[in-house]
Amino acid sequence: MPFKREIDAGDRISRLPDDIVVFILSRLPTKVAARTSLLSRRWRWVWTSLPRLDFDSSNVLRAIKNRSFGSLSISEFIDSEKVRFVSLVNRVVESYPLPAIDEFNVSFDLNRSHKHDIDKWVKFLFEKKAKRIGLDYSRAIDLHLPDYLYTLSPLSLGLPSCIPLTSLVLKSIKVGEKVLHNFISNSPFLEHLCVEGSPSLVHLRVAGPSLHLKYLEISGCPRLKRLKLVATNLLTLKYSGQHIKIPFKNVPNLTELSIRNDFDEDFTFKLKLQKILTFVPQLQKLALNINDEVDTVRSIAYPLMNQLRHMELRICADNVDSLLFLSSWIKACPSLHRFTLDFEWGCSILSRKIKKSRTSVHHSLKLVEITGFVGESVDTELCMFLIENAIELDKIVITPSVL
């Protein structure tokens, strides 16, 4: 849609062609882009015709704890912000002039009390054939109660038989297996799927002969019991939550794996981890939660992983433990370029001498990052080993723990 040119001689931005102006504004959050309507009459309605709409007011919630609200309570302030936020989104949706939209993101503390408005937005996205959708209704103050969340029921909203979706992100939304299955089966171009904080998801099947999915992330779904994967194009899998069985036989091209399990007493960590690593020798990035299972994983026969370039571990340990067993893990990854350790001190009062591991020269490791460093024997000896044996090391970043 051409915009009438009313250009001041010194206004170079307004001299730009319409498509370039739209491109620039589409890179901004929609709320920021809307402020450009004050620049001139030519700019007044440009922001309402952007192919990418990004309504993100999560920063308002993050700043709440450090602000005072006069006579308003925190809940009253949030409620007033919700009214303004929903009103803005509705105004744009109702007047949107383009026949299609590339991307639509909403990030704010919304819930089932906003069902009427959110349903309207979802219908709008179906009608405008949105390619990338992100709905994040996470709270910054406390967690949503399950019966507080918005429930996504696209079947009742007229889910099309073919959706041009390439990316779908759903956070703090009730979404079940049937709904996700319909999205997956009706979206032949879907490449990115993220579901976080859904208490309704129990079983999830991600499979199909024409599935193009390359990125799958599932986290914080407390009732999830099973994940079935048949995804030959999948490159990245991230899972965080309670232990579930994840089959790795049908993901032959997986190059990035992140497993952040909450382990229970029945979970045989050693056997499961060894099985996982055996199935995916082609990995280039691996992220694992070891937590306080150091004794269990110390004797794991870490398989040779020639292609692994980035290892990221989260470990809880103290001076009773030793992390020098990781030397054999690093040795088994000859192409390892980056090693990241998120260390949590176990608060033991035991003190001991620093141990020294056998020399094991590594020729590829260039970057080491350690957070939570406390300067005790358990983390100091690992740092010394890495500095002495990573002969190509360019940089080591140590972030101390704030106890």
Side-chain angles (χ1 to χ4, degrees):
M1 180 172 73
F3 305 105
K4 187 177 179 181
R5 297 179 179 274
E6 296 181 7
I7 304 172
D8 182 89
D11 183 4
R12 295 185 178 183
I13 294 181
S14 291
R15 294 180 184 179
L16 295 172
D18 294 336
D19 54 348
I20 294 181
V21 172
V22 169
F23 176 81
I24 293 173
L25 294 185
S26 67
R27 304 345 272 173
L28 301 173
T30 302
K31 193 173 181 179
V32 175
R35 295 173 186 159
T36 63
S37 62
L38 302 175
L39 296 177
S40 70
R41 277 186 287 182
R42 183 200 171 203
W43 287 74
R44 184 173 299 171
W45 304 110
V46 178
W47 70 276
T48 64
S49 304
L50 301 178
R52 176 182 180 270
L53 297 177
D54 184 7
F55 301 96
D56 185 356
S57 289
S58 56
N59 60 318
V60 174
L61 298 180
R62 286 194 293 268
I64 279 177
K65 292 182 179 180
N66 300 319
R67 293 180 58 182
S68 60
F69 309 102
S71 60
L72 293 177
S73 67
I74 291 180
S75 60
E76 288 173 333
F77 174 78
I78 293 176
D79 288 342
S80 66
E81 287 294 317
K82 288 179 183 179
V83 172
R84 294 172 57 187
F85 180 85
V86 171
S87 176
L88 172 64
V89 179
N90 281 338
R91 193 162 65 249
V92 174
V93 165
E94 291 167 2
S95 61
Y96 193 75
L98 301 183
I101 186 170
D102 286 340
E103 184 173 353
F104 182 90
N105 295 307
V106 170
S107 181
F108 200 60
D109 177 7
L110 302 177
N111 52 64
R112 67 177 187 178
S113 67
H114 304 94
K115 178 174 173 55
H116 173 75
D117 297 296
I118 299 174
D119 283 350
K120 183 164 56 178
W121 304 343
V122 174
K123 286 183 180 180
F124 164 79
L125 295 174
F126 289 160
E127 293 170 358
K128 298 296 184 179
K129 301 178 176 59
K131 295 179 181 178
R132 296 181 293 278
I133 298 176
L135 304 178
D136 180 359
Y137 301 147
S138 305
R139 298 190 71 181
I141 305 303
D142 50 36
L143 298 176
H144 279 302
L145 297 174
D147 59 354
Y148 184 78
L149 301 179
Y150 166 77
T151 300
L152 181 61
S153 304
L155 296 179
S156 63
L157 300 175
L159 180 70
S161 57
C162 184
I163 313 172
L165 266 181
T166 59
S167 175
L168 178 63
V169 177
L170 303 173
K171 297 185 178 182
S172 293
I173 292 174
K174 277 188 175 182
V175 56
E177 177 187 14
K178 188 175 181 180
V179 171
L180 286 176
H181 175 73
N182 277 280
F183 269 115
I184 293 170
S185 59
N186 292 326
S187 306
F189 308 109
L190 187 65
E191 295 185 351
H192 183 114
L193 176 61
C194 172
V195 180
E196 178 182 306
S198 172
S200 303
L201 194 59
V202 180
H203 303 287
L204 179 59
R205 183 177 183 269
V206 181
S210 59
L211 193 65
H212 285 80
L213 197 67
K214 296 180 180 180
Y215 179 101
L216 176 63
E217 181 175 357
I218 307 294
S219 65
C221 300
R223 298 183 61 204
L224 186 64
K225 295 180 179 178
R226 185 179 63 182
L227 173 61
K228 182 176 181 180
L229 287 175
V230 182
T232 56
N233 293 305
L234 193 67
L235 300 177
T236 299
L237 173 62
K238 296 183 178 182
Y239 175 76
S240 177
Q242 64 182 6
H243 168 64
I244 62 171
K245 185 177 181 180
I246 303 176
F248 290 96
K249 291 182 179 181
N250 299 308
V251 284
N253 293 307
L254 195 68
T255 58
E256 180 177 350
L257 175 63
S258 175
I259 302 291
R260 306 293 194 186
N261 275 121
D262 297 329
F263 303 112
D264 55 41
E265 295 179 357
D266 297 326
F267 180 44
T268 311
F269 183 87
K270 177 179 175 180
L271 295 178
K272 295 294 183 181
L273 178 57
Q274 213 156 7
K275 190 175 182 180
I276 289 172
L277 298 178
T278 301
F279 273 126
V280 283
Q282 77 280 2
L283 284 181
Q284 295 179 21
K285 180 178 179 180
L286 175 64
L288 292 173
N289 267 18
I290 296 178
N291 292 334
D292 54 358
E293 301 287 340
V294 172
D295 285 339
T296 307
V297 301
R298 183 181 289 118
S299 58
I300 284 182
Y302 193 96
L304 184 65
M305 302 188 77
N306 285 317
Q307 299 184 50
L308 196 72
R309 292 181 56 80
H310 185 188
M311 182 188 297
E312 184 177 318
L313 304 176
R314 185 177 298 169
I315 296 178
C316 178
D318 53 35
N319 282 336
V320 174
D321 308 301
S322 174
L323 301 182
L324 289 176
F325 72 91
L326 293 175
S327 62
S328 62
W329 289 32
I330 294 171
K331 182 179 179 180
C333 306
S335 300
L336 193 67
H337 181 90
R338 179 181 178 186
F339 176 76
T340 303
L341 177 64
D342 184 358
F343 179 72
E344 181 180 346
W345 172 243
C347 297
S348 169
I349 60 173
L350 177 69
S351 179
R352 64 170 174 82
K353 293 183 178 180
I354 291 176
K355 299 177 182 178
K356 189 173 179 63
S357 180
R358 289 182 300 175
T359 299
S360 180
V361 175
H362 198 283
H363 297 274
S364 298
L365 189 59
K366 293 183 178 296
L367 174 60
V368 171
E369 300 162 304
I370 298 179
T371 60
F373 184 81
V374 293
E376 291 287 342
S377 299
V378 65
D379 53 359
T380 299
E381 62 194 13
L382 177 64
C383 289
M384 291 176 61
F385 167 81
L386 293 170
I387 292 171
E388 292 170 0
N389 289 275
I391 60 175
E392 296 296 327
L393 190 65
D394 289 335
K395 187 176 183 180
I396 180 167
V397 180
I398 298 178
T399 304
S401 173
V402 180
L403 297 178

